[in-house]
Amino acid sequence: MVSSCIAGLLLLLAARSAAAAVGLATPVEYQYHSYAVTPLSPHAHSSPEAAEDGAHAHQEDMAASSSSAMHVRLLHRDSFAVNATGAELLARRLQRDELRAAWIISTAAANGTPPPDVVGLSTGRGLVAPVVSRAPTSGDYIAKIAVGTPAVEALLALDTASDLTWLQCQPCRRCYPQSGPVFDPRHSTSYGEMNYDAPDCQALGRSGGGDAKRGTCIYTVLYGDGDGHGSTSTSVGDLVEETLTFAGGVRQAYLSIGCGHDNKGLFGAPAAGILGLSRGQISIPHQIAFLGYNASFSYCLVDFISGPGSPSSTLTFGAGAVDTSPPASFTPTVLNQNMPTFYYVRLIGVSVGGVRVPGVTERDLQLDPYTGHGGVILDSGTTVTRLARPAYTAFRDAFRAAATGLGQVSTGGPSGLFDTCYTVGGRAGVKVPAVSMHFAGGVELSLQPKNYLITVDSRGTVCFAFAGTGDRSVSVIGNILQQGFRVVYDIGGQRVGFAPNSC
């Protein structure tokens, strides 16, 4: 009996040695998640969740802010939609996303050179200091912040790729439709004009200036969401000092924001403007650092298809943003000197089913500081994560190899963006391979299926929620991958952290 067991073991070892000799791989033991697929509803939304007529929403808004933190409630843009099906909302979201991702990728590799029509821009109101937004805002997540005295609620699109915070203001030369009334600074006792030589005015751009007659500061923001005919979204107005009120009634005075009197383009309701969270000097995190708070902020984004009664997404400023439970795991950020607005991180690999993908390495994804090519940007406004083509192809092929239980692969995802989709219906308990992202500093981000599989229709078709870019292109980590994590931006510490299950 013993001899037969030994003989069997020798035969097994010999077979494995022979397989290795001819290049055959031994079977891989993959790790799997159990995934319940929820098909998109074919019915149109009849009323916006954002009506907020329940006590739950009121309690969220009045959450106490401490002396070390300020809190903001976030809403997803789709919660305001009326008379649109889930598939229609997804199609619109992906359309906005393609514009944003294309602009980030092209601008990040532009060596910091502004468009030729920006430098020295002027309007009928005098000289303008240009602010070039690094990307069009998709406005996926909306922050509720009150402006002025008395405080008037405004909905501002969360944007980690924009420096300036601005909102539409009366009198409007041109304003797009928004949710709620347009802010009228003539009714605010805390409104103050800014001199053209003020530091924040000079921080707007290379040719800082102002209204020649009034001596005040004027801004222009140009967004890269052209319609294909040379048009682009813009906001023009006064750079002013105003008071912002956060959750729990916490007020911060003398913040520099834009009061836009001429706004056009692809913004649209519900947002009244942009909440700038980038690395720039005039961004809100940098401004509140001078008011006694840490130059830090964090957000936690819940699943965008979560129904009523689900936890709200939240945004926190100050030291309290860093102190998460459980503690965040931090990875260092990388500064692109040519394009310092963006938050670059070092993605060094990915795993599928618990196995590292050999075709995805830091070398494939690292930033070239001389050309601006490559690198990985963490962005709140991009929806779908994009990876440089060689890394994406290796990642996708590894996922396909491990996901054989999902059935036949199709490439007919919406808008042609996705090339790996499966029709699984509304089955519960579908087995999908585990996926992890590996960052510098020993940080492993273990994803849930909702972070890498997206339902795209009412039949229960799910797609691998990644896409490829050029061979040496910029990669962008989008907000689908970030859902369910508290993402911490410690600007002073030059690091970004991730805390799971912290919403």
Side-chain angles (χ1 to χ4, degrees), residues 107-357:
T107 306
N111 259 345
T113 304
D117 60 338
V118 173
V119 177
L121 184 68
S122 64
T123 69
R125 302 185 63 195
L127 296 175
V128 174
V131 181
V132 182
S133 172
R134 301 312 182 195
T137 180
S138 67
D140 278 347
Y141 290 90
I142 308 295
K144 295 180 61 177
I145 293 180
V147 182
T149 306
V152 177
E153 185 178 278
L155 301 175
L156 304 179
L158 189 77
D159 197 345
T160 55
S162 288
D163 296 339
L164 181 68
T165 293
W166 63 268
L167 75 162
Q168 298 195 115
C169 289
Q170 298 284 10
C172 279
R173 177 185 172 196
R174 176 170 41 190
C175 283
Y176 59 84
Q178 67 173 57
S179 294
V182 174
F183 179 71
D184 192 339
R186 294 168 293 191
H187 299 158
S188 173
T189 59
S190 53
Y191 175 90
E193 294 183 332
M194 183 178 298
N195 291 331
Y196 72 93
D197 58 353
D200 281 355
C201 184
Q202 298 300 313
L204 289 177
R206 299 183 180 188
S207 56
D211 188 304
K213 294 182 179 179
R214 294 188 299 160
T216 55
C217 187
I218 298 175
Y219 77 90
T220 290
V221 186
L222 307 180
Y223 291 88
D225 54 2
D227 58 9
H229 303 287
S231 178
T232 189
S233 297
T234 62
S235 175
V236 180
D238 298 307
L239 188 68
V240 303
E241 290 184 335
E242 225 347 331
T243 296
L244 300 185
T245 302
F246 300 84
V250 176
R251 294 165 57 84
Q252 289 297 329
Y254 307 112
L255 293 177
S256 299
I257 66 171
C259 206
H261 301 288
D262 190 340
N263 318 288
K264 70 179 181 71
L266 304 180
F267 301 113
I274 307 297
L275 181 64
L277 301 177
S278 76
R279 281 177 158 180
Q281 176 183 330
I282 203 170
S283 71
I284 292 297
H286 271 281
Q287 289 194 61
I288 65 172
F290 290 100
L291 301 175
Y293 291 85
N294 284 12
S296 304
F297 68 95
S298 68
Y299 53 70
C300 196
L301 308 178
V302 300
D303 188 340
F304 76 96
I305 62 172
S306 295
S310 300
S312 296
S313 300
T314 56
L315 169 66
T316 301
F317 294 100
V322 180
D323 300 329
T324 64
S325 180
S329 298
F330 284 94
T331 184
T333 54
V334 179
L335 180 63
N336 182 350
Q337 296 286 355
N338 296 315
M339 201 61 61
T341 293
F342 295 135
Y343 295 96
Y344 282 86
V345 291
R346 290 169 55 198
L347 179 63
I348 62 175
V350 300
S351 292
V352 173
V355 180
R356 286 290 284 263
V357 178

Side-chain angles (χ1 to χ4, degrees), residues 9 52 56 88 180 208 218 234 270 315 327 376 383 389 408 421 461 484:
L9 178 60
E52 301 173 35
H56 176 75
E88 289 170 340
I218 298 175
T234 62
L315 169 66
V376 180
T383 299
R389 177 63 61 178
Q408 184 68 34
C421 300
T461 301

